[in-house]
Amino acid sequence: MCFVVVTCRSLLWTLLTLVSTLVIVASVITPQWLIGQARRENVRYGTTSPTETGDDDGVFRPTLGIYNRCTRLHMFNDYSTKNCAPYVTKFTMTDDEFPHVWKAVLILFCLSGLMLTFTVITAIVSLCFRSMCKKDIFTLTGLLQSLSGLLLILALVLYPAGWGSMRVQRVCGLESSLYYMGNCDLGWAFYSCIGGTVLVIICAMLSIQASAATSSRKVEEQIMQGRNPICVL
């Protein structure tokens, strides 16, 4: 029989698991990791040049993500067309076009994303079942969240190692190099990913509390009384 057990700690853990997963996924798929300096379109010659202001017509700031980017396209003498799309056509692209270290970062993010997706499923299932494959579901999920957090930290540490590639230099200037972003600024995606990583680690620690809360004496007493669902503060 399935007993739906909800406690404050288990509910908080479930919600944070879902939020942290969504934050990580949203951060990875957006191109707002590096934001280039403001540029003004040269309508006559179809080129771009740096500018100090971002308020005039034709001024934009290109952005670059791990596998995608946003820029302005020249279409029929119209420079206002914004294009955001992946720049990766194949995984075997050269280091200048798709830094090898970013390939490793993308793989780490994908592995972490798969683990986090699984933890969302197990977190929801934990409302009704407290074991999976004869293992405590909270312990199993917390272990996966810990491993996912380590992969995310490793990916964030490796990410700046790709700033010396030609692709980054086209956006951030020739001064950009290993762990130096040149004329670029870090976008909100990078900070969101850091925040999501912190949430994942917090979730891993909360899984212990969630397990203890759903195994408390109050819960056992209500199960013996046949109550379903069971809500314990």
Side-chain angles (χ1 to χ4, degrees):
M1 181 178 179
C2 172
F3 288 93
V4 179
V5 181
V6 179
T7 68
C8 290
R9 284 174 285 183
S10 65
L11 183 59
L12 176 63
W13 172 72
T14 301
L15 292 176
L16 285 181
T17 298
L18 176 60
V19 170
S20 62
T21 302
L22 293 177
V23 169
I24 293 297
V25 172
S27 300
V28 174
I29 64 177
T30 183
Q32 301 288 329
W33 282 73
L34 285 175
I35 303 177
Q37 60 180 335
R39 303 179 181 183
R40 178 181 290 108
E41 298 285 2
N42 189 323
V43 179
R44 180 177 180 181
Y45 297 105
T47 59
T48 60
S49 59
T51 182
E52 297 297 329
T53 62
D55 300 326
D56 299 331
D57 293 337
V59 174
F60 71 100
R61 297 192 71 181
T63 61
L64 182 64
I66 299 174
Y67 68 93
N68 50 9
R69 54 81 182 125
C70 281
T71 186
R72 291 278 182 89
L73 295 181
H74 175 207
M75 299 179 63
F76 306 106
N77 293 324
D78 180 12
Y79 289 87
S80 62
T81 303
K82 185 176 181 179
N83 178 263
C84 296
Y87 62 80
V88 177
T89 56
K90 54 184 179 180
F91 215 71
T92 57
M93 293 174 64
T94 63
D95 185 62
D96 282 331
E97 291 300 318
F98 184 23
H100 295 326
V101 67
W102 283 10
K103 296 175 185 177
V105 168
L106 189 58
I107 292 175
L108 291 174
F109 276 135
C110 289
L111 290 176
S112 178
L114 289 175
M115 291 183 186
L116 290 176
T117 301
F118 183 76
T119 61
V120 170
I121 297 174
T122 55
I124 296 174
V125 170
S126 68
L127 297 176
C128 192
F129 300 98
R130 288 181 291 174
S131 64
M132 177 178 291
C133 300
K134 298 182 180 180
K135 301 292 183 180
D136 182 74
I137 194 169
F138 298 98
T139 302
L140 179 62
T141 305
L143 179 61
L144 287 176
Q145 288 173 331
S146 299
L147 182 57
S148 177
L150 290 176
L151 294 179
L152 290 171
I153 292 174
L154 180 59
L156 288 171
V157 171
L158 288 177
Y159 168 70
W163 289 347
S165 66
M166 186 179 298
R167 178 169 293 277
V168 176
Q169 290 178 352
R170 285 199 292 263
V171 176
C172 304
L174 298 177
E175 300 85 2
S176 60
S177 59
L178 185 71
Y179 288 92
Y180 178 68
M181 71 182 75
N183 296 323
C184 281
D185 297 320
L186 287 173
W188 64 264
F190 180 81
Y191 297 108
S192 295
C193 195
I194 293 177
T197 302
V198 173
L199 285 178
V200 170
I201 296 174
I202 292 176
C203 287
M205 294 186 292
L206 278 178
S207 64
I208 301 174
Q209 297 296 322
S211 178
T214 56
S215 302
S216 65
R217 178 171 296 182
K218 289 183 179 181
V219 173
E220 296 296 336
E221 289 176 353
Q222 294 194 33
I223 290 178
M224 295 296 295
Q225 296 172 7
R227 296 183 181 180
N228 195 10
I230 299 170
C231 296
V232 179
L233 298 177

